[in-house]
Amino acid sequence: MYKLLLCLRYLRTRYLAFICIVSVMLGVATLIVVNAVMSGFSTKLKDRLHGVLSDMVVDTDRTNGFEVVREARRPLTPEEAKQNPAVPGARRAYSLGTRVTPHAREDYYVDGDEHVTVRTLTPDGIIHEITTGPAGQYVEAITPTIDTFAVLQYRDRGAVVAKPVRLVGVEPIGRTNVGGFAEYLVRQKGAPNPSFELTPEALQRHEWNLMQHRHEHGADAPPPPKLPVADPLAPPAPDMKLDVGIERPKLTGAILGYGLAHVRYKDANGQLLEEQVLRPGDNVVLTTAGGDDLKPVWGTFLVTDYLKTEMSEYDSSFVYVPLDQLQRIRGMAGRATSFQLKLKNYDRDKEAVAKELRKVFPTREVMIRTWEDLQGPLLSAIDVERSILNILLFMIVGVAGFSILAIFTMIVSEKYRDIGIMKSLGASSWGVMQIFVGYGLLLGTVGAGLGTALGLWITHNINAIEAFISRQTGTAVFPRDIYYFKEIPTNVDPLTVILVTAGAVLIAVLFSLLPAWRAARLHPVRALRFE
Amino acid sequence: MLEAANLTKAYRRHAVQVPVLNGLDLEVRTGEFLSVVGASGSGKSTLLHLLGTLDEPDSGTVKLDGRRIDNLPARERDALRNRTFGYIFQFYHLLPELNVVDNVLMPAYIGHSTLNWWKGRGQWRKRAHELLDRVGLSHRLTHRPRELSGGEMQRTAIARALLMNPRVLLADEPTGNLDAASGGEIVKLLRDINRDEGVTIVMVTHNLEIVHATDRVVRMVNGVVTDDTPGAPKQLPFQPLMLAAV
């Protein structure tokens, strides 16, 4: 009883105790805020990185995309052997014809005494093989894509602007089912069936652009190119005449990264400004390489929407176009360079799926990677940075612990006589030790509790605090143009808060042990005589 | 009741052994008010500490009712100090963070677990109030020690020493830090406690004026008892003695 009473009284009346509490409080608050911000950045980055990448990617570095060939051999039946007689002195070799199905092109021929079936799988065939195989049970959605490099060209105030981009051909609904697509679109945000269709406003702007072009270059001037490809199945020639002698094709939309269509810059006052340089309906030309000999090919698209992930790396590089259009431009009809997979339970199944897919695609040119593999170095860097920061910051609490040690030593020295009094009244050494350990526990608990409350409050109001500091100092504490984040992201992990709080209390108790032990060992007579 | 036999005790100061008690023998009888006098350094306070198990002798024995107590385990000696002995110090030794009532209740706080204290808290508070009423401090219950005079602090210390109904009060220069009038009141209070409640009191003092209020006076010189004489009879009026002390 006396231990609790004295702990509480010491807490209320000791100025030094207040310093201890403040030390622990600041340490805990700092740890919680930094952890919340780091975790917020990490979580948001991971969400974004994961978002556009899908759970798992099966891709190839072959420019013409996947070529999955399945060969089946069986002995010729007597009837087949009779129909395809062997030429004396030569090996028997006959082509038996070709059949095209939705899943494959099947070539049949006779090779020696065997009947051979060669199935070259289409993307649908590959998808069918994945989904009907052992990996299929884990897969929720799958879609083919073409992922390649390109140069984006457009006119800005009469001048041609060119930017390197990452060109992705997608089936918009299939890509949406895989996740990380529709939720980042600006106009069609969250739409279940997004498309590359142009809105009436975009078409109107396109017509206005055409009129403007004719006005500037005369009525005879050719209009800007629409779609370039005459023969959709052949690689385009780089010098082909666009829009000449062919039926005017359907206008095709493209979804541009938000950062490509919007330029951010600072004015003379350092104020961050944003200007839209590509509006829905504006022309863009995408030039990439296609065909077996990789000649330059290009296509004209009209901006229809923007992709805004708030990740500058993506927003300033990704351009989405319809898969079939990109296949035509690159001359790779019916092919894809990658398959995006969404798993039913990513964390549980990723390794099993990778293992099963490796059986389906045993060759080295096919790469099977999770989104974490693709972003491995960045994710590792984030985790390493967070761990190191945590170690450094926990040293703050360690410093608070040493201040507790110093202050407790002073308090025990001040309390020598009280310790003697308590012992003369029958208090045991263990009881005296408990007073000071309990005091440490109480200081740690109060300090950690206040620190937790302060840390959570700062975390909750961090953007208001940042704005206030930025206003006062005239310097942006959090430059938004780097991350395209509207505000500082935070993520309070309850487990981290509990660990930090418990760790601080533990440190307070540990650092109070030595002074408490010294107090307990104090001889009552010497304590009573202490001046 | 309390018996010290052949007690020796030496302190070590800067690598030098300083003998304090040199084979001291003393018997304290039940219910008597014994005063121990002597010059500074004669070993009076050390004797009191050894009798009350606050310290251990280098040799010799201390017995309470024939049972040796100087070599008891720490836990039993803690219990003796809590329930059998009551201490009164020259400098009062109140806990500055606690008010008067809590200071008086401290032995009960120490001697009981939280649960037991909670069960009997009403009785203990009543007892503390009675004791404070008896020592004339019922108007100072919630005051802190720094708000009390020296005499009031010593009376608080006496109430604290009496809380657990001890059999022996050990008073170390209880008037040493008080003026004569306050000291007289304290000695009168101790005398009354001894007479009314039969509590055995051993009082160390170097003030020869107040020893007349005690039953017996022993004089210590160089760590041994040199004189053992009866003091003033209990029935003597006390006031004239104190006036003489002034």
Side-chain angles (χ1 to χ4, degrees), chain A residues 243-299:
Chain A
D243 211 18
V244 176
I246 60 171
E247 188 184 345
R248 184 166 163 161
K250 184 184 171 189
L251 298 170
T252 307
I255 296 171
L256 268 59
Y258 189 84
L260 290 168
H262 300 77
V263 175
R264 290 186 178 192
Y265 64 99
K266 286 182 179 173
D267 65 7
N269 299 323
Q271 185 77 25
L272 186 67
L273 301 174
E274 182 179 288
E275 189 178 327
Q276 191 175 25
V277 293
L278 286 168
R279 296 171 188 279
D282 284 348
N283 289 358
V284 293
V285 177
L286 288 160
T287 305
T288 180
D292 290 332
D293 47 357
L294 280 185
K295 287 182 178 174
V297 293
W298 65 89

Side-chain angles (χ1 to χ4, degrees), chain A residues 1-2 4-6 9-10 12-14 415 417-429 523-525 528-529 531, chain B residues 11 45-46 49 54-55 78 81-82 87 89 91 93-99 102 106-107 109-110 112-114 117 144 160:
Chain A
M1 177 65 196
Y2 69 105
L4 182 64
L5 179 76
L6 286 172
R9 291 297 162 85
Y10 284 175
R12 277 170 50 187
T13 54
R14 308 309 300 176
K415 291 290 161 197
R417 186 174 285 181
D418 289 7
I419 293 164
I421 295 167
M422 284 184 282
K423 285 196 168 181
S424 73
L425 296 177
S428 64
S429 296
H523 195 283
V525 172
L528 286 169
R529 285 177 174 165
E531 294 296 334
Chain B
Y11 292 113
S45 295
T46 300
H49 295 150
L54 265 179
D55 206 351
D78 292 340
R81 289 199 300 274
N82 184 245
Y87 279 97
F89 300 100
F91 295 103
H93 287 340
L94 301 177
L95 295 171
E97 281 84 6
L98 306 183
N99 63 23
D102 282 333
M106 184 47 73
Y109 289 145
I110 290 173
H112 295 86
S113 66
T114 305
W117 157 257
R144 294 284 175 89
R160 179 178 69 186

Side-chain angles (χ1 to χ4, degrees), chain A residues 61-136:
Chain A
D61 52 4
R62 302 292 189 262
T63 52
N64 272 340
F66 278 93
E67 185 171 82
V68 180
V69 177
R70 303 286 186 244
E71 186 181 281
R73 288 174 178 266
R74 62 172 170 78
L76 286 173
T77 61
E79 191 174 338
E80 286 171 338
K82 194 176 174 184
Q83 286 174 359
N84 302 286
V87 177
R91 184 180 173 82
R92 182 158 50 189
Y94 290 101
S95 172
L96 299 177
T98 297
R99 189 166 72 102
V100 177
T101 69
H103 290 160
R105 193 188 76 195
E106 296 176 350
D107 294 308
Y108 308 99
Y109 59 94
V110 174
D111 181 18
D113 295 330
E114 290 179 322
H115 179 275
V116 183
T117 304
V118 177
R119 298 179 76 238
T120 306
L121 299 181
T122 62
D124 283 347
I126 294 170
I127 290 172
H128 178 75
E129 195 158 295
I130 292 172
T131 52
T132 54

Side-chain angles (χ1 to χ4, degrees), chain B residues 67-140:
Chain B
R67 178 191 173 212
R68 195 169 167 188
I69 59 172
D70 60 279
N71 61 351
L72 287 175
R75 192 187 179 95
E76 289 184 42
R77 284 190 287 144
D78 292 340
L80 274 178
R81 289 199 300 274
N82 184 245
R83 295 176 186 277
T84 306
F85 298 111
Y87 279 97
I88 303 164
F89 300 100
Q90 179 181 355
F91 295 103
Y92 332 122
H93 287 340
L94 301 177
L95 295 171
E97 281 84 6
L98 306 183
N99 63 23
V100 166
V101 172
D102 282 333
N103 262 294
V104 172
L105 285 169
M106 184 47 73
Y109 289 145
I110 290 173
H112 295 86
S113 66
T114 305
L115 185 64
N116 285 338
W117 157 257
W118 193 253
K119 284 179 184 168
R121 68 189 187 285
Q123 288 179 333
W124 286 113
R125 286 200 174 277
K126 187 179 169 194
R127 165 99 177 129
H129 285 217
E130 284 171 0
L131 287 170
L132 285 166
D133 191 35
R134 176 164 187 189
V135 299
L137 287 176
S138 52
H139 61 297
R140 296 285 206 184

Side-chain angles (χ1 to χ4, degrees), chain B residues 190-204:
Chain B
L190 292 176
R191 172 84 267 175
D192 291 345
I193 290 164
N194 170 250
R195 186 180 58 223
D196 300 342
E197 299 181 20
V199 177
T200 305
I201 298 176
V202 179
M203 179 176 72
V204 163

Side-chain angles (χ1 to χ4, degrees), chain B residues 6-221:
Chain B
N6 200 23
L7 282 185
T8 64
K9 181 74 180 175
Y11 292 113
R12 195 176 183 85
R13 283 182 193 155
H14 306 297
V16 177
Q17 288 280 105
V18 181
V20 181
L21 296 182
N22 298 299
L24 179 141
D25 295 307
L26 177 69
E27 187 185 351
V28 182
R29 292 182 279 274
T30 303
E32 78 172 341
F33 189 170
L34 170 72
S35 58
V36 181
V37 298
S40 293
S42 59
K44 306 186 293 293
S45 295
T46 300
L47 171 64
L48 212 61
H49 295 150
L50 294 180
L51 291 177
T53 70
L54 265 179
D55 206 351
E56 294 168 47
D58 294 338
S59 65
T61 58
V62 179
K63 290 181 180 173
L64 176 69
D65 295 334
R67 178 191 173 212
R68 195 169 167 188
I69 59 172
D70 60 279
N71 61 351
L72 287 175
R75 192 187 179 95
E76 289 184 42
R77 284 190 287 144
D78 292 340
L80 274 178
R81 289 199 300 274
N82 184 245
R83 295 176 186 277
T84 306
F85 298 111
Y87 279 97
I88 303 164
F89 300 100
Q90 179 181 355
F91 295 103
Y92 332 122
H93 287 340
L94 301 177
L95 295 171
E97 281 84 6
L98 306 183
N99 63 23
V100 166
V101 172
D102 282 333
N103 262 294
V104 172
L105 285 169
M106 184 47 73
Y109 289 145
I110 290 173
H112 295 86
S113 66
T114 305
L115 185 64
N116 285 338
W117 157 257
W118 193 253
K119 284 179 184 168
R121 68 189 187 285
Q123 288 179 333
W124 286 113
R125 286 200 174 277
K126 187 179 169 194
R127 165 99 177 129
H129 285 217
E130 284 171 0
L131 287 170
L132 285 166
D133 191 35
R134 176 164 187 189
V135 299
L137 287 176
S138 52
H139 61 297
R140 296 285 206 184
L141 301 179
T142 57
H143 287 233
R144 294 284 175 89
R146 64 174 179 272
E147 296 161 352
L148 303 177
S149 68
E152 287 172 328
M153 281 195 274
Q154 196 60 293
R155 279 186 277 157
T156 304
I158 291 170
R160 179 178 69 186
L162 291 172
L163 183 81
M164 304 294 277
N165 286 315
R167 293 178 59 201
V168 184
L169 271 187
L170 301 168
D172 191 358
E173 307 253 14
T175 62
N177 209 35
L178 301 174
D179 59 51
S182 299
E185 287 172 16
I186 293 300
V187 173
K188 181 177 183 303
L189 185 59
L190 292 176
R191 172 84 267 175
D192 291 345
I193 290 164
N194 170 250
R195 186 180 58 223
D196 300 342
E197 299 181 20
V199 177
T200 305
I201 298 176
V202 179
M203 179 176 72
V204 163
T205 181
H206 61 262
N207 185 352
L208 296 177
E209 298 296 336
I210 63 170
V211 299
H212 299 293
T214 62
D215 299 332
R216 182 177 151 212
V217 180
V218 295
R219 178 185 298 276
M220 285 181 64
V221 176

